[in-house]
Amino acid sequence: KSKLGFKFHFSFPSVEIGESVRGEDVYIIQSGCGEINDNLMELLIMINACKIASSSRVTAVIPCFPYARQDKKDKVRDRAPISAKLVANMLSVAGADHIITMDLHASQIQGFFDIPVDNLYAEPAVLQWIRENIAEWRNCIIVSPDAGGAKSRVTSIADRLNVEFALIHKERKKANEVDRMVLVGDVKDRVAILVDDMADTCGTICHAADKLLSAGATKVYAILTHGIFSGPAISRINNAAFEAVVVTNTIPQEDKMRHCPKIQVIDISMILAEAIRRTHNGESVSYLFSHVPL
């Protein structure tokens, strides 16, 4: 027990590679979800085990990057850690030569690494889902529940669908609690599609859905890359007025779907598989930034 009152419990995963990896191009797939610390430690040990077993290259495929939201310090939390940088250092020290991930919470996390990082995007799969599953998509408006993500993610999807976008400015008093929301944009008589990179306790998107409906939206969808769904998230989604909450399978969702029929999943395994194939063959992966592989 430390002087700060925290209790530390250490468990040591036992890892042994079952066949020779000498001279091989190794890909280790491990998402930053569930028991995050155990999974991260297991990933680091597996990377190191392959590296000291003389593999030629080790690529860590991390669909959901752990601790990605702790990417900076601010005025409110001046002594907060920059854990995303620490994870980047740990992966490099363990021996990773290359990282493949998807929809980083902040693009500057790529700059935390001194090794190549391919940050893939769920956007092509999201566009495909919207066109195939929302009949009124031509009369939709894309909404960012956070002004910070408006420029890159929401405007790009809105431009490719040739529709308008809106954003919601939120003020937080403390983490995971939203104090006030202000809608910027006209959603009256339109289908509103909330787009974000992740949802944790879902307080933000559920408040945003209420705000959009009160502003005159006919239907509200939420499309998220990483569905963490911790704490009261499932009960909040069940009680909210969403037509559907759509997430990718960067995090396994089978258990959550059993408790919440509104959750639907976009399969992004083919995007990761194609990225692995192209990386192994020395081909460009930029095609995947705007296309879903067949």
Side-chain angles (χ1 to χ4, degrees):
K1 190 173 182 180
S2 73
K3 292 181 180 179
L4 295 176
F6 297 113
K7 292 182 179 179
F8 297 96
H9 173 70
F10 295 98
S11 59
F12 298 95
S14 178
V15 173
E16 183 178 348
I17 309 301
E19 59 184 83
S20 174
V21 295
R22 184 177 296 273
E24 299 289 349
D25 188 9
V26 177
Y27 293 82
I28 302 173
I29 303 173
Q30 179 79 291
S31 198
C33 60
E35 299 293 334
I36 297 175
N37 297 325
D38 288 349
N39 290 345
L40 177 59
M41 197 66 203
E42 185 178 74
L43 174 62
L44 295 171
I45 292 173
M46 291 178 70
I47 291 170
N48 188 252
C50 290
K51 201 66 181 177
I52 63 177
S54 301
S55 58
S56 65
R57 180 174 64 171
V58 178
T59 299
V61 182
I62 312 172
C64 181
F65 193 85
Y67 292 98
R69 287 190 293 181
Q70 294 182 357
D71 62 324
K72 62 182 181 295
K73 297 206 293 187
D74 54 40
K75 293 180 181 178
V76 178
R77 294 169 291 177
D78 183 56
R79 289 172 296 279
I82 306 178
S83 304
K85 170 64 174 173
L86 175 61
V87 172
N89 288 342
M90 291 165 69
L91 289 165
S92 297
V93 170
D97 300 294
H98 182 207
I99 304 293
I100 297 175
T101 187
M102 177 166 281
D103 273 5
L104 285 170
H105 185 65
S107 57
Q108 67 262 23
I109 292 174
Q110 294 177 80
F112 293 169
F113 288 89
D114 292 324
I115 58 176
V117 177
D118 284 321
N119 181 30
L120 305 175
Y121 301 99
E123 181 183 310
V126 167
L127 290 167
Q128 186 180 65
W129 190 94
I130 291 173
R131 292 188 179 109
E132 292 177 356
N133 294 275
I134 301 178
E136 316 96 314
W137 68 266
R138 290 179 177 83
N139 187 41
C140 74
I141 183 166
I142 310 299
V143 184
S144 171
D146 184 351
K151 184 178 179 181
S152 59
R153 187 174 297 106
V154 173
T155 56
S156 177
I157 292 175
D159 287 345
R160 293 186 64 181
L161 290 174
N162 195 26
V163 297
E164 295 183 8
F165 76 93
L167 61 88
I168 294 174
H169 172 67
K170 62 185 179 184
E171 295 178 356
R172 288 186 188 273
K173 294 300 182 185
K174 56 183 178 180
N176 286 336
E177 288 188 19
V178 178
D179 183 60
R180 193 168 71 96
M181 284 187 160
V182 178
L183 174 64
V184 181
D186 182 16
V187 300
K188 186 175 177 58
D189 299 325
R190 295 186 182 182
V191 175
I193 303 175
L194 283 161
V195 176
D196 207 353
D197 66 319
M198 67 173 60
D200 187 359
T201 58
C202 293
T204 298
I205 63 166
C206 289
H207 286 147
D210 292 338
K211 188 77 176 178
L212 292 168
L213 289 171
S214 65
T218 57
K219 295 178 181 178
V220 179
Y221 293 83
I223 302 181
L224 317 156
T225 304
H226 310 297
I228 300 170
F229 300 145
S230 65
I234 296 301
S235 62
R236 283 175 173 174
I237 293 172
N238 282 327
N239 294 327
F242 289 111
E243 296 295 314
V245 175
V246 184
V247 295
T248 71
N249 55 352
T250 56
I251 296 173
Q253 300 294 344
E254 289 78 7
D255 183 59
K256 303 292 194 303
M257 292 173 70
R258 282 194 291 270
H259 295 92
C260 183
K262 291 182 182 179
I263 295 177
Q264 299 184 30
V265 172
I266 298 173
D267 183 14
I268 49 84
S269 60
M270 288 302 297
I271 297 176
L272 293 174
E274 181 65 10
I276 291 171
R277 188 195 68 79
R278 287 171 175 260
T279 301
H280 179 66
N281 294 329
E283 301 174 18
S284 171
V285 299
S286 58
Y287 173 85
L288 300 175
F289 297 165
S290 55
H291 298 83
V292 177
L294 299 176

